[in-house]
């Protein structure tokens, strides 16, 4: 025997093990490499530190070290990125691997189990199969011999041929079931090839193909049911004019009818009713009755449910039966008549119905009843005349009679008057008489033919119809009697329905219908089922995607043999991707079945024993029929049936458990209750007798007034009997107590149990008080009242405690739920925050619920607790508010601190800039003085100054951004505190508004000379502006005072003033060449002269000799720098020495 | 023939420029441009690895002469130090794995980039010489002018003492 191949031979249980090991090895390699790079870095750093860069060799070594470190850094970055990526992948792989491996192990185990089972089944099957195959060969041989000896038509040969055919077909069926390749025992190669094919499609590996297929089958079946139901409801809505919701409710009501008819057909019947103008209860009655006809006569009637319903409805309406009996009964009457005629004649119900439908208009007008019309139809059908011909002729004859009474009276052979009366009272008899008269003489028939021809009816046909009518008067009368009786009783249809609705087939159909009804009831038009299905369909879709991936993955797995380890890894990775959706879909379906079977089992408890029996029997039948069905189906359908069987078996086991539990409990209780009840009845009988004895004795004592001795004797006897009566009463009352005790024990609800016990105690106490002969009535009443009050209080307490318990339970549940939601959070901190918040809310809600309960009952003794609760709730709210306040304060403080930090940084940068500016000024001065060495430093400082300015600008921008962030945070927190429904969205809106507003505001950040046109903020034309720290604002008047000069002009003037230039100019006395405070006056200078002097000065400066330039060659860096100086302007031009 | 080459090799220093006092500035520029150290040869010589190394040695020696005589520019030193700082930070990053070194490297590189922002494409030696000639008032030939002379003239301009 070939070695059995197991799944584990192909797939390792831990598919990720190798991958993980490889990745780990790779990471180790990377670590090694990184270590080597660190060594290189250390060496090169050492080399760098040793260089003095005073020789070309040293510079070269520096350059080499620099280059090497540059390369090493690039490599390090690359390696570290790779390492991080690998570690992340490994982490992810470990995570996925744990769950995937577990799942895979389970699937492999399941698959192994299935394979073993298949192998075992095959072994048994093949043994029998071979035996039967040999027998078939033998039988065929025998048949050939027999056919030659006795001929093919001989009885024995025929019998043998039948046996051969049966056996052959049986074996073929086996072949079809197991697949021809599996005929050979132990041919694992072939078997494995099949498994291999399955593997290719992915089903084998997953071991869940059947489940998926079943889900698919169930889903599509259910979807179809819902779709059909929805379509039917839409039809119903259309014909009844009801709103969708009402139509749906009506449809659901209709589906409750206990029938074998499918939901779809039932609704078709209802639609027919709707077409006939029926609504509401009438429509339901119509549907019920037509359904009875549909079930009872279904096999004899042609057409859809709707057509049959319409025909019956029209008949009932046309003949006025609907008005007379109501639509339900009318249909039942028509149906009963049809049913009995069908059963007791050779006519078919279909033909009768056809005839009556065709003739209903004319017949009803002529005064012929439904039963008579049906009977006529039956007669003609028996005679082999089609409903079309017969109804057509009678349909013309009847009006003809009415139009020409005289002629037809003559044909009938009676006088006109009596014929007219007969026609009016009994039109059917008049018709019979006419036909009889026509038949009785040649003249009569000829006369009739002629008359009929006058009405456009061909003589030949008329003769045959009339001939039958006349010739089979007796039969017609019999049929009329049958029809009438059935019509009157109107039970025939129900009887037939009852029989046909409970046949084996009917029960199987009902089970199917119940499934559909169940689907529809779950759907309820609210999309409940659709949601479940959507989830499951999503799962199936994912599964299909998964299958494709599995297929691709398997192809890639084969590449592994060629050496494509990477392909394998990728394949394994992809293989894992399809599971989530499938698992989720499957999970939903299983849970769904589990939940629904539980619900059915729960409802099952309340059913009476007979119903329970019927339900379990029906279920068993359904399972049996499904088992049969299983043999004739294949592929997905087979898997679907299999799943249904499993679901039904699950349900059956649950129902059985319920029944056993119920039976055990009930038997015990019933036995005990039964005994006690019997005992009590017996004692009550004795008490009655004893009471009568006592009463007799009292009577006797009253009568025996003379004989004292007799009185004494009777009194003594009376005492004895009274005592016996009391004893019996005690016994009976104790029996009642025992019954009550059992009832209390049966009460599951603990609170109710305690209340019942307390009531029982109270009842006893009150009884004792009442029977106490020593107490006064008034005192007794008081005591009883107090006891009743106490009992009321007790019940109230119990109820409150029960509600409190429920609140407590709900609180614990909510807390437990929160603890379970941990997985949805990114960090422990985040979860802790959420938990704290939720716990607070739960506590608050719980306290509020308790307060509500106590306030509802409003007891005085709870006043303190109520106040306490109010306080606690208020504290919690206060805590929340305090927390909110703290949050805002905290934000503000943080914002301020951060802002200060920025200010500090900017200030520092400002100081550095100031210093740099000062240095620049110094260097410029030196440069002006001709110290060219200062040029380089000057350039450096200028660069430094520019950098610092940039840095300051960056810091200011960052500061603005951080300020904006804190504004947003504060706004958000404020929105949260205000209880905004979506604080984040509101924050965005608020910030957007602020931003857009800010955009419209003027800003003096870079300074401004003129603020522009008038605004509308106040009467002085004010407008909104954004100001920053330490800015200066001038009024219009101030500006006017300085002649509206701009800032640059003002700054120049101030500079001139600061360096004393203005002062000196104003005090120079040209005549004596010294400083004189009154020089202006003495010199008579005006502005023009000053300007001229300045111009002169400028010209002189321009004519000054410019110092020479400087060339610097940087051979190492291959740069040449040409520095030229013209006046105060220094130009530095650097360029590469070589290309 | 073989013997001739051997003899020649012995006196390689005689057939090669070994001092910046002799080396024409044109050759100096040319070698910088092409890195063809064989330009240092005054006469043709059969080149072997040893000879090439020896020529390279001459070049390095001449470069050291240049450094000793004229020194390295401040800018170059600043630049080199900057490169060394970056390299050291790279080494620290590789050794410690602390990523803040990457930021510091970035800053240093950015500084360097800004520093070299105004560097223009090379100017031809002849143009430079023309400018210097104009400055001094007499013609300077790239073929005749030695490296020492060239840089001396240049530095003389730099000191503003040229007449």
């Amino acid at each position: 025997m070939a070695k059995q191949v197991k799944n584990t031979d192909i797939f390792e249980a831990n598919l990720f093990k190798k991958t993980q090991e490889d990745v780990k090895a790779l990471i180790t390699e990377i670590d090694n490499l990184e270590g080597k790079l660190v060594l290189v870095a250390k060496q090169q750093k050492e080399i760098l530190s040793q260089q003095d860069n005073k020789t070309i060799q040293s510079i070269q070594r520096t350059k080499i070290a620099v280059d090497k470190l540059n390369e090493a850094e690039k490599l390090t970055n690359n390696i570290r990125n790779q390492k991080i990526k690998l570690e992340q992948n490994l982490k992810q792989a470990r995570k996925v691997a744990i769950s995937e491996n577990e799942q895979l192990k389970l699937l492999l185990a399941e698959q192994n189990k299935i394979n073993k089972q298949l192998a075992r089944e095959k072994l048994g099957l093949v043994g029998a199969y071979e035996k039967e195959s040999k027998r078939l060969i033998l039988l065929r041989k025998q048949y050939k011999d027999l056919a030659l000896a006795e001929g093919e038509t001989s009885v024995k040969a025929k019998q043998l041929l039948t046996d051969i055919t049966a056996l052959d077909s049986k074996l073929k069926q086996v072949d079809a079931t197991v697949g021809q390749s599996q005929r050979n025992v132990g041919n694992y190669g072939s078997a494995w090839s099949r498994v291999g094919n399955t593997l290719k499609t992915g089903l084998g590996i997953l071991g869940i193909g059947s489940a998926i297929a079943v889900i698919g089958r169930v889903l599509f079946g259910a979807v179809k049911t819902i779709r059909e139901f929805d379509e039917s409801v839409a039809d119903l809505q259309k014909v009844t004019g009801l709103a969708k919701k009402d139509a749906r409710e009506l449809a659901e009501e209709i589906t409750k009818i206990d029938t074998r008819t499918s939901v779809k057909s039932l609704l078709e019947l209802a639609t027919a009713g709707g077409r006939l103008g029926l609504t509401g209860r009438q429509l339901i009655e119509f549907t019920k009755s037509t359904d009875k006809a549909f079930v009872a006569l279904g096999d004899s009637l042609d057409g859809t449910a709707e057509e049959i319903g319409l025909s019956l409805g029209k008949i009932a309406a046309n003949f006025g039966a609907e008005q007379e009996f109501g639509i339900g009964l009318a249909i039942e009457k028509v149906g009963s008549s049809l049913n009995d005629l069908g059963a007791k004649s050779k006519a078919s119900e279909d033909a009768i119905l056809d005839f009556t439908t065709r003739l209903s208009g004319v017949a009803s007008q002529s005064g012929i009843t439904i039963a008579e019309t049906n009977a006529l139809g039956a007669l003609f059908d028996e005679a082999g005349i089609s409903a079309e011909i017969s109804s057509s002729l009678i349909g013309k004859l009847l009006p003809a009679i009415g139009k020409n009474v005289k002629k037809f009276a003559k044909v009938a052979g009676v006088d006109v008057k009596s014929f007219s009366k007969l026609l009016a009272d009994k039109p059917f008899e008049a018709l019979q008489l006419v036909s009889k008269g026509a038949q009785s003489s040649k003249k009569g028939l000829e006369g009739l033919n002629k008359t009929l021809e006058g009405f456009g009816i061909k003589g030949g046909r008329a003769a045959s119809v009339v001939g039958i009518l006349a010739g089979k008067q007796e039969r017609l009368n019999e049929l009329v009697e049958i029809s009438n009786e059935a019509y009157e009783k109107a039970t025939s249809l129900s009887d037939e329905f009852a029989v046909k609705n409970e046949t084996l087939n009917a029960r199987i159909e009902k089970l199917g219908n119940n499934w559909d009804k169940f689907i529809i009831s779950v759907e309820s038009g609210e999309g409940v089922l659709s949601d479940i299905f959507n989830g499951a369909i999503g799962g199936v879709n994912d599964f299909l995607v998964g299958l494709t991936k599995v297929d691709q993955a398997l192809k890639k797995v084969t590449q592994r043999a060629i050496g494509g380890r990477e392909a394998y890894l990728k394949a394994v990775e992809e293989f894992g991707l399809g599971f989530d959706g499938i698992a989720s879909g499957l999970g939903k379906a299983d849970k769904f079945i589990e939940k629904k079977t539980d619900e059915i089992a729960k409802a099952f408890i309340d059913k009476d024993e007979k119903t329970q029996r019927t339900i379990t029997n029906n279920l068993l039948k359904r399972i049996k029929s499904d088992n049969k069905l299983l043999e004739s189906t294949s592929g997905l359908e087979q898997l679907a049936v299999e799943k249904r069987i499993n679901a039904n078996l699950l349900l059956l086991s649950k129902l059985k458990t319920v029944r056993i539990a119920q039976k055990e409990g009930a038997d015990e209780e019933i036995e005990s209750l039964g005994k006690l009840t019997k005992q009590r009845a017996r004692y009550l009988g004795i008490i009655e007798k004893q009471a009568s004895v006592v009463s007799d004795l009292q009577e006797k004592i009253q009568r025996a007034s003379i004989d004292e001795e007799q009185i004494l004797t009777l009194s003594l006897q009376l005492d004895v009997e009274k005592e016996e009566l009391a004893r019996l009463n005690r016994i009976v009352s104790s029996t009642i107590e025992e019954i009550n005790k059992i009832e209390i024990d049966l009460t599951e609800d603990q609170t109710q149990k305690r209340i019942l016990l307390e009531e029982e105690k109270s009842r006893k106490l009150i009884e004792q008080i009442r029977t106490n002969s020593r107490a006064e009535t008034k005192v007794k009443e008081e005591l009883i009242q107090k006891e009743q009050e106490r009992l009321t209080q007790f019940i109230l307490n119990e109820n409150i405690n029960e509600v409190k318990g429920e609140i407590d339970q709900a609180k614990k549940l909510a807390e437990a739920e929160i603890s379970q939601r941990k997985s949805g959070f990114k960090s422990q901190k985040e979860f802790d925050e959420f938990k704290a918040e939720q716990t607070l809310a739960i506590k608050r809600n719980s306290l509020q619920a308790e307060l509500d309960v106590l306030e509802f009952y409003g007891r005085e003794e709870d006043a303190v607790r109520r106040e306490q609760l109010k306080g606690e709730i208020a504290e919690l709210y206060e805590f929340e508010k305090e927390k909110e306040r703290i949050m805002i304060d905290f934000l503000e403080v943080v914002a301020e601190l951060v802002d200060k930090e920025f200010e500090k940084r900017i200030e520092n940068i400002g100081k550095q800039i100031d210093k740099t500016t000062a240095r620049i000024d110094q260097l410029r001065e030196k440069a002006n003085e001709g110290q060219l060495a200062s040029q380089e430093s000057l350039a450096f400082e200028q660069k430094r100054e520019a950098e610092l300015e940039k840095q300051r600008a960056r810091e200011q921008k960052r500061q603005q951004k951080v300020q904006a962030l804190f504004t947003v945070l504060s706004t958000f927190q404020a929105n949260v505190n205000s209880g905004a429904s979506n604080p984040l969205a509101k924050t965005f809106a608020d910030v957007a508004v602020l931003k857009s507003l800010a955009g419209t505001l003027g800003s003096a950040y870079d300074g401004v000379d003129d603020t522009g046109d008038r605004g509308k903020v106040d009467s002085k034309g004010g407008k909104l502006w954004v100001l920053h720290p330490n800015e200066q604002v001038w009024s219009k008047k101030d500006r006017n005072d300085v002649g509206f000069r701009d800032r640059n002009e003002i700054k120049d003037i101030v500079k001139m003033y600061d360096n004393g230039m203005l002062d000196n100019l104003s005090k120079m006395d040209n005549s004596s060449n010294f400083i004189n405070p009154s020089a202006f006056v003495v010199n008579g200078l005006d502005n023009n002269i000053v300007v001229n002097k300045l111009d002169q000065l400028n010209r002189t400066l321009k004519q000054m000799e410019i110092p020479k330039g400087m060339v610097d060659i940087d051979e190492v860096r291959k740069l040449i720098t040409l520095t030229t100086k013209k006046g105060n302007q220094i130009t530095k031009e650097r360029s590469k020495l070589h290309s | 023939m073989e013997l001739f080459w051997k003899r020649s090799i012995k006196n390689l220093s005689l057939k090669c420029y070994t001092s910046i006092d002799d080396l024409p500035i044109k050759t100096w520029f040319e070698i910088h441009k092409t890195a063809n150290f064989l330009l240092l040869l005054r006469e043709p010589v059969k080149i072997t690895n040893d000879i090439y190394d020896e020529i390279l040695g001459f070049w390095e020696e001449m470069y050291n002469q240049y450094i000793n005589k004229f020194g390295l520019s401040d800018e170059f030193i600043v630049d080199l130090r900057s490169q060394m700082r970056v390299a050291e930070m790279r080494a620290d990053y590789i050794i410690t794995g602390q990523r803040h070194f990457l930021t510091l490297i970035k800053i240093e590189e950015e500084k360097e980039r800004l520093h070299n922002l105004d560097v223009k494409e090379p100017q031809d030696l002849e143009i430079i010489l023309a400018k210097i000639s104009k400055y001094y008032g007499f013609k300077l030939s790239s073929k005749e002018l030695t490296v020492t002379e060239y840089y001396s003239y240049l530095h003389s301009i730099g000191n503003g003492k040229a007449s």
Side-chain angles (χ1 to χ4, degrees), chain A residues 1054-1082:
Chain A
V1054 172
K1055 267 184 190 170
M1056 283 170 80
Y1057 175 79
D1058 283 348
N1059 60 27
M1061 199 173 160
L1062 276 179
D1063 199 35
N1064 292 343
L1065 281 171
S1066 62
K1067 290 175 185 171
M1068 177 61 74
D1069 183 349
N1070 283 335
S1071 57
S1072 52
N1073 205 19
F1074 72 99
I1075 300 295
N1076 177 5
S1078 311
F1080 255 111
V1081 183
V1082 176

Short mmCIF file of all heavy atoms in Angstrom, two decimals, chain A residues 1054-1082:
data_model
loop_
_atom_site.label_atom_id
_atom_site.label_comp_id
_atom_site.label_asym_id
_atom_site.label_seq_id
_atom_site.Cartn_x
_atom_site.Cartn_y
_atom_site.Cartn_z
N VAL A 1054 16.91 112.04 12.96
CA VAL A 1054 17.30 111.67 14.32
C VAL A 1054 18.78 111.30 14.36
O VAL A 1054 19.50 111.69 15.29
CB VAL A 1054 16.41 110.52 14.84
CG1 VAL A 1054 16.93 110.00 16.18
CG2 VAL A 1054 14.98 110.99 15.01
N LYS A 1055 19.26 110.59 13.33
CA LYS A 1055 20.67 110.20 13.28
C LYS A 1055 21.57 111.44 13.23
O LYS A 1055 22.58 111.53 13.94
CB LYS A 1055 20.95 109.33 12.05
CG LYS A 1055 20.82 107.84 12.35
CD LYS A 1055 21.18 107.04 11.13
CE LYS A 1055 20.82 105.59 11.33
NZ LYS A 1055 20.94 104.83 10.10
N MET A 1056 21.18 112.36 12.38
CA MET A 1056 21.96 113.59 12.25
C MET A 1056 22.02 114.32 13.58
O MET A 1056 23.04 114.88 13.98
CB MET A 1056 21.35 114.50 11.18
CG MET A 1056 21.67 114.04 9.76
SD MET A 1056 20.72 114.95 8.56
CE MET A 1056 21.67 116.45 8.46
N TYR A 1057 20.91 114.27 14.24
CA TYR A 1057 20.85 114.95 15.54
C TYR A 1057 21.73 114.20 16.54
O TYR A 1057 22.50 114.81 17.28
CB TYR A 1057 19.40 115.00 16.03
CG TYR A 1057 19.27 115.58 17.41
CD1 TYR A 1057 19.32 116.97 17.61
CD2 TYR A 1057 19.12 114.75 18.53
CE1 TYR A 1057 19.23 117.50 18.88
CE2 TYR A 1057 19.03 115.28 19.80
CZ TYR A 1057 19.09 116.65 19.98
OH TYR A 1057 19.01 117.17 21.24
N ASP A 1058 21.61 112.85 16.53
CA ASP A 1058 22.34 112.05 17.50
C ASP A 1058 23.87 112.22 17.36
O ASP A 1058 24.58 112.27 18.36
CB ASP A 1058 21.99 110.56 17.34
CG ASP A 1058 20.62 110.26 17.94
OD1 ASP A 1058 20.08 111.14 18.65
OD2 ASP A 1058 20.09 109.15 17.69
N ASN A 1059 24.38 112.28 16.14
CA ASN A 1059 25.84 112.42 16.01
C ASN A 1059 26.31 113.88 16.02
O ASN A 1059 27.44 114.19 15.68
CB ASN A 1059 26.36 111.66 14.77
CG ASN A 1059 25.73 112.20 13.49
OD1 ASN A 1059 25.35 113.36 13.44
ND2 ASN A 1059 25.64 111.35 12.47
N GLY A 1060 25.43 114.75 16.36
CA GLY A 1060 25.81 116.15 16.57
C GLY A 1060 25.99 116.96 15.31
O GLY A 1060 26.42 118.12 15.34
N MET A 1061 25.71 116.33 14.19
CA MET A 1061 25.92 116.98 12.91
C MET A 1061 25.07 118.24 12.77
O MET A 1061 25.55 119.31 12.37
CB MET A 1061 25.58 116.00 11.80
CG MET A 1061 26.16 116.37 10.47
SD MET A 1061 25.85 115.01 9.34
CE MET A 1061 26.07 115.90 7.84
N LEU A 1062 23.85 118.08 13.15
CA LEU A 1062 22.92 119.21 13.04
C LEU A 1062 23.39 120.36 13.94
O LEU A 1062 23.41 121.54 13.53
CB LEU A 1062 21.51 118.77 13.45
CG LEU A 1062 20.65 118.11 12.37
CD1 LEU A 1062 19.30 117.71 12.95
CD2 LEU A 1062 20.43 119.05 11.20
N ASP A 1063 23.81 119.96 15.12
CA ASP A 1063 24.24 120.95 16.10
C ASP A 1063 25.46 121.71 15.60
O ASP A 1063 25.50 122.95 15.63
CB ASP A 1063 24.56 120.21 17.40
CG ASP A 1063 24.57 121.16 18.58
OD1 ASP A 1063 23.74 122.11 18.55
OD2 ASP A 1063 25.41 121.00 19.48
N ASN A 1064 26.43 120.92 15.09
CA ASN A 1064 27.67 121.54 14.60
C ASN A 1064 27.41 122.49 13.45
O ASN A 1064 27.96 123.60 13.39
CB ASN A 1064 28.66 120.47 14.18
CG ASN A 1064 29.16 119.69 15.39
OD1 ASN A 1064 29.02 120.15 16.53
ND2 ASN A 1064 29.73 118.52 15.16
N LEU A 1065 26.63 121.99 12.53
CA LEU A 1065 26.32 122.81 11.35
C LEU A 1065 25.70 124.14 11.75
O LEU A 1065 25.98 125.19 11.19
CB LEU A 1065 25.39 122.06 10.40
CG LEU A 1065 26.04 120.99 9.52
CD1 LEU A 1065 24.96 120.19 8.81
CD2 LEU A 1065 26.95 121.67 8.49
N SER A 1066 24.85 124.02 12.73
CA SER A 1066 24.12 125.23 13.12
C SER A 1066 24.99 126.22 13.90
O SER A 1066 24.70 127.41 13.96
CB SER A 1066 22.89 124.84 13.93
OG SER A 1066 23.31 124.19 15.11
N LYS A 1067 26.07 125.70 14.47
CA LYS A 1067 26.88 126.60 15.33
C LYS A 1067 28.18 127.12 14.68
O LYS A 1067 28.93 127.89 15.28
CB LYS A 1067 27.22 125.87 16.62
CG LYS A 1067 26.00 125.66 17.51
CD LYS A 1067 26.35 124.84 18.72
CE LYS A 1067 25.13 124.53 19.53
NZ LYS A 1067 25.43 123.57 20.56
N MET A 1068 28.50 126.62 13.46
CA MET A 1068 29.76 127.02 12.82
C MET A 1068 29.72 128.47 12.30
O MET A 1068 28.86 128.82 11.51
CB MET A 1068 30.07 126.03 11.67
CG MET A 1068 31.30 126.38 10.90
SD MET A 1068 32.78 126.36 11.93
CE MET A 1068 33.04 124.63 12.14
N ASP A 1069 30.64 129.24 12.83
CA ASP A 1069 30.74 130.63 12.37
C ASP A 1069 31.84 130.69 11.31
O ASP A 1069 33.02 130.52 11.62
CB ASP A 1069 31.06 131.55 13.57
CG ASP A 1069 31.11 133.01 13.19
OD1 ASP A 1069 31.12 133.28 11.96
OD2 ASP A 1069 31.15 133.84 14.09
N ASN A 1070 31.48 130.88 10.06
CA ASN A 1070 32.44 130.83 8.96
C ASN A 1070 33.48 131.97 9.02
O ASN A 1070 34.66 131.78 8.68
CB ASN A 1070 31.72 130.90 7.62
CG ASN A 1070 31.09 129.55 7.28
OD1 ASN A 1070 31.57 128.52 7.76
ND2 ASN A 1070 30.05 129.57 6.49
N SER A 1071 33.01 133.11 9.48
CA SER A 1071 33.90 134.28 9.46
C SER A 1071 35.05 134.11 10.44
O SER A 1071 36.19 134.46 10.15
CB SER A 1071 33.09 135.55 9.80
OG SER A 1071 32.47 135.36 11.06
N SER A 1072 34.73 133.55 11.58
CA SER A 1072 35.80 133.38 12.57
C SER A 1072 36.23 131.93 12.71
O SER A 1072 37.12 131.62 13.51
CB SER A 1072 35.31 133.92 13.94
OG SER A 1072 34.07 133.31 14.24
N ASN A 1073 35.57 131.04 11.97
CA ASN A 1073 35.90 129.62 11.93
C ASN A 1073 35.91 128.96 13.32
O ASN A 1073 36.84 128.26 13.68
CB ASN A 1073 37.28 129.44 11.24
CG ASN A 1073 37.39 128.06 10.63
OD1 ASN A 1073 36.36 127.40 10.41
ND2 ASN A 1073 38.60 127.62 10.37
N PHE A 1074 34.90 129.31 14.08
CA PHE A 1074 34.75 128.60 15.36
C PHE A 1074 33.26 128.37 15.64
O PHE A 1074 32.40 128.94 14.99
CB PHE A 1074 35.44 129.40 16.48
CG PHE A 1074 34.72 130.66 16.88
CD1 PHE A 1074 33.90 130.66 18.02
CD2 PHE A 1074 34.82 131.84 16.15
CE1 PHE A 1074 33.24 131.83 18.38
CE2 PHE A 1074 34.15 132.98 16.53
CZ PHE A 1074 33.35 132.99 17.64
N ILE A 1075 33.01 127.61 16.67
CA ILE A 1075 31.62 127.25 16.98
C ILE A 1075 30.97 128.39 17.75
O ILE A 1075 31.45 128.79 18.80
CB ILE A 1075 31.57 125.95 17.84
CG1 ILE A 1075 32.22 124.78 17.08
CG2 ILE A 1075 30.14 125.59 18.24
CD1 ILE A 1075 31.52 124.34 15.83
N ASN A 1076 29.90 128.89 17.17
CA ASN A 1076 29.21 130.00 17.80
C ASN A 1076 27.71 129.70 17.83
O ASN A 1076 27.11 129.43 16.79
CB ASN A 1076 29.50 131.25 16.93
CG ASN A 1076 28.75 132.48 17.45
OD1 ASN A 1076 28.10 132.42 18.49
ND2 ASN A 1076 28.86 133.57 16.72
N PRO A 1077 27.13 129.69 19.04
CA PRO A 1077 25.70 129.36 19.14
C PRO A 1077 24.83 130.25 18.25
O PRO A 1077 23.76 129.81 17.82
CB PRO A 1077 25.39 129.56 20.62
CG PRO A 1077 26.70 129.46 21.32
CD PRO A 1077 27.72 129.96 20.37
N SER A 1078 25.31 131.43 17.92
CA SER A 1078 24.48 132.31 17.09
C SER A 1078 24.96 132.32 15.64
O SER A 1078 24.74 133.28 14.90
CB SER A 1078 24.54 133.76 17.65
OG SER A 1078 24.29 133.73 19.03
N ALA A 1079 25.68 131.28 15.25
CA ALA A 1079 26.30 131.20 13.94
C ALA A 1079 25.32 131.36 12.81
O ALA A 1079 25.62 131.97 11.78
CB ALA A 1079 27.05 129.89 13.79
N PHE A 1080 24.16 130.75 12.96
CA PHE A 1080 23.14 130.83 11.91
C PHE A 1080 22.87 132.27 11.51
O PHE A 1080 22.85 132.63 10.34
CB PHE A 1080 21.82 130.19 12.39
CG PHE A 1080 21.61 128.84 11.75
CD1 PHE A 1080 21.68 127.69 12.52
CD2 PHE A 1080 21.37 128.77 10.39
CE1 PHE A 1080 21.49 126.47 11.92
CE2 PHE A 1080 21.18 127.55 9.81
CZ PHE A 1080 21.25 126.38 10.55
N VAL A 1081 22.73 133.04 12.55
CA VAL A 1081 22.39 134.46 12.34
C VAL A 1081 23.61 135.17 11.72
O VAL A 1081 23.48 135.91 10.74
CB VAL A 1081 22.01 135.13 13.68
CG1 VAL A 1081 21.58 136.58 13.47
CG2 VAL A 1081 20.93 134.33 14.37
N VAL A 1082 24.78 134.86 12.30
CA VAL A 1082 26.00 135.52 11.85
C VAL A 1082 26.29 135.18 10.40
O VAL A 1082 26.58 136.05 9.57
CB VAL A 1082 27.19 135.09 12.76
CG1 VAL A 1082 28.50 135.70 12.24
CG2 VAL A 1082 26.94 135.53 14.18
#
